[in-house]
Amino acid sequence: MKKWLQALRRNLVALMRRPGAALSVIFLLAITLAAIFADFLPLDPLRQRVANALMPPNGTNWFGTDELGRDIIARVVYGARTSLITAAGAVAIAAAVGVPIGLVAGFFGGWRDAVLMRFIDVLLALPGILFAMAMIAVLGRSQLAALIAVGVTGIPSFARITRAQVLALRKRDFVTAVESFGGSSGYNMFRTILPNSWSPILVQVVVLSSVAILLEAALAFLGVGVPPPTPSWGEMLRTGKNYLYEAPYYAILPGIVLTLTILSFDTIGRALTEILEDRHDTGAGLKPEGSKA
Amino acid sequence: MDAGTVTTVGNGSVSEPVLSVRGLEVDFVGSGHPVPVVRGVDFDVYPNEVLCIVGESGSGKSVTALAVSGLLPETARIRGSIGLNGTDVTSADDETLRMMRGQEVGFIFQDPATTLNPVLPVGRQITEGQLAHGRLKPADAPARAVELLREVDIADPEGRANQYPHEFSGGMRQRAVIAMAMAGKPKLIIADEPTTALDVTVQAQVLAVLARRQAETGAAVILITHDLGVVAEVADRVAVMYGGRIVETGPVGDIFKSPKHPYTSALLQSIPRIDATEARLEPIPGTPPTPAALPTGCTFHPRCMLGNGRPRCQSEDPALRPVGPTQMAACHYAEEPRPTPQAATVRSAPAPRTGGEPLLAIDDLKVHFPIRKGILRRVVGHVRAVDGVTLSVDPGETVSLVGESGCGKTTTARTVMGLIKATSGDVRFEGRSIVGLSRGAMRKARRQMQYVFQDPFSSLNPVLAVEDIIAEPLRIHGLYDEMGGDKRIAELMDMVGLSRTMFGRFAREFSGGQKQRIGIARALALQPKLLILDEPVAALDVSIQAQVLNLLQDLQKELNLAYLFVAHNLSVVRHISDRVAVMYLGRIVEESERDALYDSPVHPYTQSLLSAAPVPNPEGRRARRRIVLEGEIPNPAKPPPGCTFHPRCFRATERCRSEVPAFLPYPGLPTRAACHHAGPLRPEEVPGPARDLEMVR
Amino acid sequence: MIGYVLRRIAQLLPVLLIASLGIWGMLYAVPGGPVGMLLGENATAEQIAAVTRDLGLDRPVLVQYFDWLVGALTGDLGNSVYSQEPVLKLIGERLPATLQLAVAATIVALVLGIPVAIISALYPNSWIDRILSGWSALALGVPTFWLGILLILLFAVQLRWLPSASTYVAFWDNPVQALRSVALPALTLGIYVSGILARFLRASLVSELRADYVRTARSKGLPERQVVGTHIMRNALLPFITIVGLMMANFIGGAVVTEAVFNYPGIGRLMIGAISNRDYPLIQGCIVVILVIYIAINLAVDVLYAYIDPRIEYS
């Protein structure tokens, strides 16, 4: 546990040394806090004042109001809650199913690998958005359905990344070594390979968060995501699109926040990849020049 | 020798140097402080001569060579002067440098697997440099490529020129690279570890081709290597590098006979020799310095027996100065007599074989891997990785399995360990068969027998601290507390010469030699009777190899361990073994007591292997003649019929093509061999001197 | 070569089989099953019995599946519940629009993505690399539906250069009109994909630049443009072909969002409409067609790759 916290701290420190990544962390922190403590803010995303519909930005409604007179800022803040809950749930489902699949497929190979990876291929045989839409068509439209649909489309990426990592580690002598002094397959999988696989899985969690947020918003934009009146960024953009001529500002704030959230996850994901790769490189760089591989 | 003056070289003629390097310094500028990799290097190379730059990792030898042709990455800062045929490389513009490459200087790099572009035909890659220089018409290029390939002994050059690198074997690729480097008839060839990635018989082929082409073109060669055997075989002059500087330079004979720098002499004493059986190795303590953390003063002083802690060595970096008529050395006390090495404890003679129950008995072991093809994964053939190996190891004995890559030695070792399933045959440990044991029974058997891996960089779990790595076998067997817990770990660390202060550190914080000690400590944790050592020193620097070999010998004596030692390095094997088995294409072709095998081999493959191995003794090289085997090891999926060695064998007859030779005792020697024509090498069997490296010079 | 193609197809069979089971099973997973889908929630028991008999739902499940599979394989995907027209006809009407958008967007993506990647890779970590990599991240990060809205605001609402609601005009009928109507959706989709392509190609080029064979090429005295143009590009473009193929395959179904932004009459719009109408045969049909095209393009890319890369043998 202590080792874990150390590693976490080391990665955070390395992240905060990069200006882009640091800004991203701060932005995401702000969004998350706003989503968690939205109830304590003087914001009401549902209060309608039809008389105030489609107001341009003003003193009370800094980013204007929507077609029902609801405050756009309030809806964006509560939309963050929808977005982050869906993304977190979806990533959790994807990792919880994908990582074990990749682990078993990569470790045992053979028929287990063939069966599991065919299953993954089926998930990949359709573009993610279509797959999610088809699932929602079956499950019916709800927040849970959106969460599950987005989560299932994320399973292949975890399965493949984990499998690739396991296959690479399987060739390493320290895994063979455990076998050579009599460690069981379970011991090797969970005590040797998994602890050495956290880095790529962690990066994938971050990357998939951005994909999940995008996908949730896209589903809402298409009118099959989280159902109204729950505020959602995608749903706001969908409605805003109908008032482009009357209220061109409508779609601006939700669009900016959505984009910044996606960009932040993406920036952190890339920074983490580089940090972890650098660390890996220093190990390999110590190899003597004349070593026979 | 004053590096600036005109000097006579091997062939007696007087000439201007092709390359003249003065005060070369290279720093690498990264995110932190600049790292000095080369710190003031002077040398000259003359036409027709071979200068070997020898050193361990981090000595700066490769960087020196890359600087000569301006091929260093942009993070390198270069100072000093490099005169190549009168042009100063350090101040030349990019276009001048470009025209110089391929024309004035040709390059041969280490790993032939990656130096060629995988998606371009080999022939095109050979001639494109000449085309770019406008020295070859596009219409003539294909014919020229074929000609160049023929000159490096590639069979069917017309067909080969259109093939891609992956269709070439390793040795052929390296010969193609030589053809490429020679295409513009450059005055200087720089070869950076050109044979390190190759097997010994292929190394002999490649060095022979390189030497012949050099003689034909009169080029100068700089050969960078860590292998003192190769140096002794091919060098005219030697420059020894350490910590970014040349610490000694001189003619090859003098360097080997009377080294002046304590590092050179220590290095020569620390290598196991194929031409001598003796004694214990004299290792150099410590590890080579990394450029980022160089010691003050003389960089060698922390490891030096001669300096012995004298203050001058710690404060003042000695200049390279003439010592004796032909040599130069960078040592304050180069003229002082060496402290005599501690009385070499000659190895106790191997205990006579008891004839009792061997500890490990391998009986007609076969491991065949199926080759599957098509949708249904039908088995269309087998790779016969191990094809009938019979061998035994007595308690306290060291038996070596030696052979080139792909001969099946590692597969044999891993199958004995139960890591690979045997196809047929039997492995008995203390008389009990351990093939096809149940999981639980196998676990028990494994306590008696442990494995040490080749690559210390890959065999230690990076997320565990050192004490957890060593404790892992104990924990898996639930014996951690029973065997003494922390105390047992500390005891094991003492046993392999690691300090207890290292508790809590992770694998990445250790040097290669230390990692291998950790691997050995881990293997000893369960108190096994047999260690299977898979190339345990192959990935280590030369001066570190001796430390680990000595440790292994000490542990063997102390704990009465038996070793099954797997290696490709014939010198290391001669040093450590009681008995030796030579493998070729999945079979043992010859097995005997160590000295009998090395002094009177009877199988033609053993004879070729021994003759191809470079000997670190330049005195003998003029007298020595060698067999250079044709071709390379065949694909074990399609082994030749009859005796698998017959296509490369100089004794092969009709019978060898059809009849598999039995593995039989050879009369008069403690030897068994699998050959229809086993017998000592006859003088007429060694090819005439025309093939010899020496004669072409 | 033909053997290789056949083998790849054979490898895809299990995937297609599982996928077909999933698509067919969709109907049965819907609340109320296929009958409820047709009759709604307030049907009487007699109605349900009648429809069950008409649709053959009283037969064994396996028979029903094979019936459906044979229909799908012979081009009979059933009729739309909503418009009663054959599903295949409805899809056939929309396919050309989607293909036109896919081709236009691919061109935009390649034109924007390749130069960005090459310049970035040749000057890694320089200011220009930072700017271009930032641009790629932005192109990737801005959701297409918001980018589409911004482009409409700029080009349709403000500048009034291009139509905001797209219609499909076949390129062969009226090239100018076709380009005008496809311009904004193609730009939206193309910019997004150019981000993916640029990032991938840059990474691939940077890793190739470090390869040993590049040092070898330089050591022969090749001019830098030849080192990059011949040696590096050839290696970097091989995996790039796969990515471009995957992108194109993705456009067929994955342009749903873009089509929705611009009301572009492609397959994506058709499917969204089908979902909101609970028109399950049409949903099934769209998925089957998209799946088949997707897999066909993937297969074509694989074969092309094997053909170009000398290291892959067909046997």
Side-chain angles (χ1 to χ4, degrees):
Chain A
M1 201 59 212
K2 206 174 131 218
K3 254 183 273 176
W4 270 76
L5 288 176
Q6 275 174 356
L8 191 71
R9 213 181 120 232
R10 209 175 45 216
N11 288 336
L12 259 178
V13 169
L15 268 183
M16 296 313 268
R17 288 223 180 88
R18 295 159 180 251
L23 279 177
S24 303
V25 170
I26 292 168
F27 177 80
L28 288 180
L29 221 58
I31 287 276
T32 312
L33 289 176
I36 293 174
F37 298 107
D39 297 332
F40 301 103
L41 298 174
L43 297 169
D44 186 344
L46 300 178
R47 194 175 61 170
Q48 306 182 4
R49 275 186 284 178
V50 185
N52 287 353
L54 297 179
M55 290 264 287
N58 59 57
T60 357
N61 308 106
W62 295 347
F63 276 83
T65 57
D66 70 3
E67 77 284 2
L68 297 174
R70 297 174 294 195
D71 182 39
I72 287 190
I73 292 190
R75 290 190 66 75
V76 166
V77 168
Y78 277 84
R81 193 180 270 187
T82 313
S83 206
L84 293 179
I85 288 177
T86 314
V91 171
I93 290 179
V97 181
V99 169
I101 289 180
L103 202 56
V104 170
F107 189 84
F108 291 106
W111 64 268
R112 293 182 188 86
D113 186 31
V115 169
L116 289 172
M117 290 330 276
R118 283 303 84 73
F119 168 64
I120 294 299
D121 283 348
V122 174
L123 292 184
L124 281 172
L126 277 181
I129 180 103
L130 274 192
F131 198 93
M133 281 167 69
M135 286 199 59
I136 288 171
V138 173
L139 295 173
R141 192 178 168 189
S142 70
Q143 171 146 25
L144 188 63
L147 189 151
I148 293 173
V150 174
V152 171
T153 59
I155 292 173
S157 62
F158 274 108
R160 293 187 139 195
I161 289 222
T162 310
R163 179 173 176 271
Q165 180 73 8
V166 173
L167 286 180
L169 288 172
R170 199 95 175 78
K171 287 191 210 120
R172 300 281 297 274
D173 285 340
F174 66 85
V175 175
T176 317
V178 169
E179 216 177 305
S180 83
F181 32 75
S184 65
S185 300
Y187 182 95
N188 228 341
M189 258 199 296
F190 294 105
R191 303 285 290 277
T192 311
I193 288 180
L194 201 55
N196 276 290
S197 307
W198 289 127
S199 304
I201 292 175
L202 174 71
V203 170
Q204 192 56 24
V205 163
V206 177
V207 170
L208 203 76
S209 299
S210 89
V211 175
I213 283 174
L214 179 64
L215 200 51
E216 185 274 328
L219 290 172
F221 180 81
L222 296 174
V224 296
V226 180
T230 312
S232 140
W233 297 338
E235 175 71 27
M236 291 179 78
L237 289 174
R238 170 187 168 82
T239 321
K241 203 197 91 188
N242 297 329
Y243 300 102
L244 284 185
Y245 289 86
E246 302 91 321
Y249 51 84
Y250 191 134
I252 300 297
L253 187 64
I256 289 179
V257 176
L258 173 59
T259 304
L260 285 181
T261 308
I262 295 169
L263 277 181
S264 298
F265 275 117
D266 182 69
T267 309
I268 296 172
R270 272 190 304 154
L272 271 183
T273 312
E274 278 175 33
I275 290 168
L276 297 169
E277 260 173 18
D278 278 358
R279 204 163 292 152
H280 189 73
D281 278 353
T282 48
L286 290 168
K287 239 180 136 123
E289 288 168 54
S291 75
K292 204 177 144 113
Chain B
M1 177 181 77
D2 180 351
T5 57
V6 172
T7 312
T8 56
V9 285
N11 58 10
S13 69
V14 175
S15 54
E16 288 292 318
V18 177
L19 176 72
S20 187
V21 173
R22 289 293 171 275
L24 178 68
E25 294 177 32
V26 182
D27 294 349
F28 279 93
V29 193
S31 40
H33 293 283
V35 176
V37 177
V38 178
R39 305 180 305 121
V41 160
D42 307 310
F43 66 91
D44 294 307
V45 193
Y46 295 88
N48 251 327
E49 82 163 340
V50 178
L51 171 71
C52 276
I53 302 182
V54 59
E56 296 178 277
S57 49
S59 63
K61 57 191 193 299
S62 291
V63 171
T64 302
L66 285 172
V68 167
S69 55
L71 280 173
L72 285 174
E74 280 171 15
T75 50
R77 300 278 170 274
I78 305 171
R79 288 180 302 278
S81 78
I82 301 169
L84 182 59
N85 268 333
T87 317
D88 184 33
V89 174
T90 46
S91 60
D93 59 60
D94 286 355
E95 190 56 18
T96 315
L97 277 179
R98 181 176 81 74
M99 291 310 286
M100 195 187 82
R101 291 183 207 130
Q103 220 50 64
E104 305 289 331
V105 51
F107 250 100
I108 300 164
F109 295 104
Q110 171 171 352
D111 187 357
T114 57
T115 45
L116 291 167
N117 188 332
V119 299
L120 291 177
V122 173
R124 178 173 164 183
Q125 297 189 55
I126 288 176
T127 52
E128 71 180 342
Q130 287 309 98
L131 284 170
H133 286 131
R135 308 235 308 196
L136 188 62
K137 282 197 245 105
D140 300 336
R144 177 76 182 131
V146 170
E147 191 185 331
L148 283 163
L149 282 174
R150 185 174 292 124
E151 284 171 357
V152 292
D153 297 341
I154 297 232
D156 181 26
E158 288 86 359
R160 289 291 183 179
N162 293 319
Q163 287 187 337
Y164 291 89
H166 71 276
E167 296 168 88
F168 279 47
S169 67
M172 279 164 62
R173 275 189 217 136
Q174 200 62 315
R175 276 182 279 155
V177 172
I178 292 175
M180 193 157 72
M182 298 279 193
K185 299 198 183 67
K187 318 271 184 312
L188 174 67
I189 304 283
I190 298 176
D192 187 359
E193 302 266 12
T195 57
T196 304
L198 304 174
D199 277 316
V200 60
T201 59
V202 180
Q203 163 170 291
Q205 290 170 5
V206 168
L207 288 178
V209 164
L210 181 61
R212 202 193 72 226
R213 291 294 291 143
Q214 181 202 10
E216 285 163 11
T217 59
V221 170
I222 299 179
L223 194 134
I224 294 150
T225 183
H226 68 282
D227 185 336
L228 292 166
V230 170
V231 174
E233 295 286 347
V234 304
D236 295 311
R237 279 192 307 126
V238 180
V240 181
M241 284 191 76
Y242 189 85
R245 295 189 54 201
I246 293 179
V247 294
E248 176 158 11
T249 174
V252 62
D254 298 342
I255 293 269
F256 277 79
K257 196 165 62 195
S258 59
K260 300 295 186 212
H261 195 281
Y263 173 62
T264 317
S265 38
L267 201 58
L268 286 167
Q269 276 166 18
S270 73
I271 54 169
R273 303 175 66 110
I274 196 170
D275 52 349
T277 50
E278 66 355 86
R280 203 176 152 78
L281 303 173
E282 214 39 65
I284 310 178
T287 52
T290 60
L294 289 175
T296 55
C298 172
T299 50
F300 186 59
H301 85 257
R303 307 175 73 189
C304 185
M305 301 299 279
L306 182 63
N308 207 7
R310 280 183 270 196
R312 192 178 170 200
C313 299
Q314 292 168 30
S315 58
E316 193 185 328
D317 203 359
L320 189 63
R321 62 194 172 87
V323 178
T326 56
Q327 282 157 276
M328 295 175 79
C331 176
H332 297 306
Y333 307 109
E335 288 85 355
E336 282 186 19
R338 299 294 116 104
T340 39
Q342 304 147 8
T345 40
V346 179
R347 249 191 114 187
S348 50
R353 306 201 71 192
T354 52
E357 184 77 58
L359 185 65
L360 175 77
I362 307 169
D363 188 18
D364 198 25
L365 183 71
K366 289 185 182 173
V367 183
H368 294 180
F369 298 113
I371 309 168
R372 295 172 191 277
K373 276 213 170 137
I375 318 146
L376 301 172
R377 319 295 300 141
R378 271 187 334 253
V379 176
V380 295
H382 285 94
V383 175
R384 297 155 176 268
V386 178
D387 205 20
V389 162
T390 301
L391 190 69
S392 65
V393 183
D394 283 352
E397 183 189 38
T398 301
V399 177
S400 288
L401 265 180
V402 64
E404 297 180 280
S405 52
C407 70
K409 56 190 191 296
T410 294
T411 309
T412 305
R414 293 198 168 201
T415 308
V416 169
M417 195 65 217
L419 297 171
I420 298 172
K421 219 172 147 304
T423 308
S424 70
D426 197 13
V427 178
R428 285 186 307 280
F429 191 83
E430 293 187 317
R432 288 189 52 216
S433 171
I434 54 171
V435 168
L437 279 187
S438 71
R439 275 202 71 85
M442 189 67 206
R443 249 174 81 117
K444 256 202 195 119
R446 275 178 176 159
R447 282 188 53 183
Q448 304 293 318
M449 174 165 89
Q450 289 288 308
Y451 204 94
V452 175
F453 293 84
Q454 162 175 5
D455 184 359
F457 296 87
S458 143
S459 64
L460 305 181
N461 189 337
V463 302
L464 294 183
V466 52
E467 63 271 22
D468 294 323
I469 292 175
I470 298 175
E472 206 169 16
L474 294 172
R475 294 214 167 99
I476 284 175
H477 285 268
L479 296 169
Y480 184 72
D481 293 321
E482 192 180 314
M483 301 259 272
D486 290 356
K487 249 180 65 202
R488 172 70 179 153
I489 307 302
E491 189 184 301
L492 285 163
M493 286 179 72
D494 286 346
M495 222 184 264
V496 297
L498 291 170
S499 155
R500 296 182 188 202
T501 58
M502 291 167 175
F503 265 62
R505 290 202 209 159
F506 291 88
R508 63 173 174 276
E509 298 169 64
F510 292 92
S511 70
Q514 287 173 327
K515 282 182 189 173
Q516 203 55 299
R517 287 170 193 267
I518 297 171
I520 293 168
R522 174 176 65 182
L524 293 176
L526 289 166
Q527 297 178 323
K529 293 180 180 155
L530 171 72
L531 281 195
I532 299 176
L533 301 151
D534 185 0
E535 300 267 17
V537 298
L540 303 178
D541 262 322
V542 181
S543 69
I544 307 299
Q545 287 189 0
Q547 297 174 4
V548 173
L549 290 174
N550 280 356
L551 172 68
L552 287 172
Q553 290 183 324
D554 292 345
L555 288 170
Q556 179 164 50
K557 218 177 298 168
E558 211 172 304
L559 305 171
N560 193 33
L561 289 166
Y563 291 154
L564 178 61
F565 192 94
V566 173
H568 71 281
N569 184 323
L570 294 157
S571 313
V572 169
V573 167
R574 173 154 213 181
H575 178 76
I576 197 146
S577 312
D578 296 316
R579 280 188 302 127
V580 179
V582 179
M583 278 189 82
Y584 186 80
L585 222 56
R587 295 192 186 146
I588 293 178
V589 294
E590 179 164 3
E591 187 240 296
S592 185
E593 279 166 20
R594 186 248 327 256
D595 290 339
L597 187 114
Y598 277 79
D599 297 336
S600 33
V602 296
H603 194 287
Y605 177 63
T606 313
Q607 289 158 353
S608 318
L609 208 56
L610 290 172
S611 128
V615 182
N617 175 12
E619 291 299 306
R621 85 184 189 203
R622 278 170 179 77
R624 208 159 40 236
R625 295 189 294 169
R626 67 175 46 197
I627 308 160
V628 177
L629 281 184
E630 302 284 334
E632 288 173 43
I633 299 178
N635 179 356
K638 282 177 247 156
C643 171
T644 49
F645 184 59
H646 84 254
R648 304 175 73 192
C649 184
F650 47 89
R651 277 185 208 154
T653 59
E654 218 27 69
R655 186 181 170 203
C656 303
R657 277 177 256 280
S658 55
E659 191 184 325
V660 180
F663 190 48
L664 298 171
Y666 184 83
L669 284 170
T671 301
R672 286 190 295 170
C675 178
H676 297 306
H677 308 290
L681 200 58
R682 294 185 296 274
E684 71 272 17
E685 286 178 330
V686 184
R691 288 206 68 96
D692 197 292
L693 289 181
E694 257 329 289
M695 287 307 294
V696 291
R697 194 157 290 133
Chain C
M1 188 74 197
I2 291 167
Y4 178 79
V5 176
L6 287 178
R7 227 167 322 118
R8 290 288 293 120
I9 291 176
Q11 279 167 6
L12 288 170
L13 280 179
V15 175
L16 283 170
L17 198 72
I18 302 174
S20 72
L21 264 170
I23 296 168
W24 167 78
M26 253 180 85
L27 282 186
Y28 295 80
V30 172
V35 181
M37 161 197 100
L38 282 177
L39 298 174
E41 285 157 21
N42 305 322
T44 64
E46 290 81 45
Q47 282 175 305
I48 291 178
V51 171
T52 303
R53 207 168 34 254
D54 286 353
L55 293 179
L57 294 175
D58 45 358
R59 294 174 299 161
V61 175
L62 264 182
V63 175
Q64 294 180 46
Y65 169 66
F66 276 110
D67 213 36
W68 178 84
L69 189 64
V70 169
L73 288 175
T74 52
D76 176 14
L77 291 167
N79 290 342
S80 158
V81 178
Y82 185 70
S83 68
Q84 300 302 329
E85 291 195 68
V87 165
L88 209 60
K89 175 169 169 275
L90 289 172
I91 295 174
E93 286 166 6
R94 300 293 190 94
L95 203 54
T98 291
L99 290 178
Q100 183 159 308
L101 174 58
V103 171
T106 305
I107 293 170
V108 172
L110 291 176
V111 167
L112 287 178
I114 294 180
V116 165
I118 294 178
I119 296 169
S120 258
L122 288 186
Y123 307 97
N125 301 322
S126 65
W127 61 269
I128 188 143
D129 177 31
R130 276 166 220 270
I131 290 176
L132 292 177
S133 295
W135 155 257
S136 304
L138 203 63
L140 261 169
V142 179
T144 45
F145 40 98
W146 191 49
L147 179 64
I149 291 175
L150 292 181
L151 290 177
I152 294 174
L153 277 175
L154 180 64
F155 289 105
V157 178
Q158 289 294 320
L159 300 171
R160 295 178 189 281
W161 286 354
L162 293 164
S164 75
S166 295
T167 44
Y168 167 63
V169 180
F171 186 76
W172 317 115
D173 297 345
N174 184 343
V176 176
Q177 211 43 51
L179 286 180
R180 275 175 59 85
S181 68
V182 85
L184 286 184
L187 205 58
T188 306
L189 205 49
I191 286 177
Y192 169 66
V193 174
S194 81
I196 300 179
L197 295 187
R199 189 178 278 183
F200 182 86
L201 186 57
R202 178 189 178 275
S204 164
L205 283 170
V206 166
S207 84
E208 292 297 335
L209 270 163
R210 289 197 207 119
D212 280 357
Y213 69 81
V214 174
R215 192 176 56 178
T216 312
R218 290 199 178 120
S219 79
K220 285 186 270 194
L222 295 188
E224 199 58 22
R225 106 190 95 73
Q226 203 175 335
V227 173
V228 175
T230 312
H231 283 260
I232 295 174
M233 278 316 255
R234 244 177 226 240
N235 282 282
L237 282 178
L238 279 171
F240 187 66
I241 289 172
T242 314
I243 295 293
V244 173
L246 282 177
M247 286 301 116
M248 284 195 74
N250 246 310
F251 285 156
I252 304 300
V256 185
V257 178
T258 311
E259 292 185 4
V261 178
F262 295 95
N263 289 321
Y264 189 86
I267 293 190
R269 287 281 309 143
L270 187 68
M271 183 156 157
I272 297 168
I275 289 179
S276 52
N277 293 332
R278 300 176 68 83
D279 188 346
Y280 288 98
L282 187 53
I283 301 177
Q284 280 181 327
C286 288
I287 295 178
V288 168
V289 169
I290 290 168
L291 183 76
V292 167
I293 296 178
Y294 194 82
I295 286 180
I297 293 181
N298 271 308
L299 183 66
V301 168
D302 268 11
V303 172
L304 182 68
Y305 188 90
Y307 183 70
I308 300 176
D309 191 335
R311 283 164 294 190
I312 296 178
E313 289 172 38
Y314 308 125
S315 55

